Amino acid sequence: MLTKRIIPCLDVKDGRVVKGVNFVNLRDAGDPASLAAAYMDEGADELTFLDITASKERRATMLEWVSVVADAISIPFTVGGGISSDRDAVGLIALGADKISLNTAAVRRPELITECASLLGSQAVVVAVDVKREAGEWRVFIEGGRTPAERGGLEWCVTAARLGAGELLITSMDRDGTKGATTRIF
């Protein structure tokens, strides 16, 4: 029997949660720890936080808010954005995250998925896949949706799972933030 779980995904920029539409026009939505606690109180099963500008800015995830979120909630949470090594991943787990999410660095160096899964276990490795429909195909984008990758969406999902991803976080850039009906991606 399938179980439905509620896992809100919060985008973080400059240490603040932001909301946008189609990955643009970002506006401040609040403090990560306060919002995490509110989502937990409302019944979220788990949370995901993505530092959406880390890869584009060529920096690691801003760490200051991660341990504060860990102290504020008692449900599992995932942190992604700017993770480019297994050391980065282990550091986030040490701060209190239960899982890490890879995107840009994994597309550029797929073996990172296997390295992280070997250290943390596949259950702690999420691969985020940002896709947009182009010429009838689902194309993968990296760097917070700013840069097209030379990968098809379905092919990349299969590869990521084969390399050790325990979960996939697939986002349709075409529908992100629009409150529109979901689209079958694959």
Side-chain angles (χ1 to χ4, degrees), residues 171-186:
T171 303
S172 169
M173 294 172 61
D174 305 290
R175 298 286 184 182
D176 178 69
T178 66
K179 299 182 184 177
T182 57
T183 300
R184 181 180 169 152
I185 295 178
F186 307 119

Side-chain angles (χ1 to χ4, degrees), residues 21-147:
V21 176
N22 304 122
F23 284 45
V24 294
N25 299 322
L26 302 176
R27 61 177 174 73
D28 186 273
D31 171 66
S34 299
L35 289 170
Y39 275 111
M40 181 184 72
D41 291 345
E42 290 294 321
D45 297 297
E46 195 172 320
L47 295 169
T48 297
F49 291 90
L50 302 175
D51 187 338
I52 59 171
T53 57
S55 293
K56 180 68 175 168
E57 294 172 357
R58 307 276 190 265
R59 62 169 173 77
T61 302
M62 290 184 161
L63 303 177
E64 299 78 22
W65 58 269
V66 177
S67 57
V68 176
V69 168
D71 290 341
I73 62 174
S74 59
I75 58 175
F77 74 105
T78 301
V79 176
I83 300 170
S84 59
S85 71
D86 55 3
R87 184 187 314 187
D88 292 343
V90 169
L92 288 167
I93 298 296
L95 287 173
D98 298 279
K99 301 176 192 176
I100 56 96
S101 178
L102 304 170
N103 187 338
T104 300
V107 170
R108 290 186 174 139
R109 197 172 70 79
E111 60 271 18
L112 178 60
I113 300 167
T114 304
E115 293 165 6
C116 290
S118 293
L119 277 175
L120 304 172
S122 289
Q123 81 287 345
V125 179
V126 177
V127 171
V129 182
D130 297 332
V131 293
K132 186 196 282 187
R133 199 121 167 108
E134 289 190 337
E137 301 284 326
W138 289 102
R139 303 298 305 157
V140 173
F141 281 71
I142 58 173
E143 296 182 334
R146 292 167 184 80
T147 307

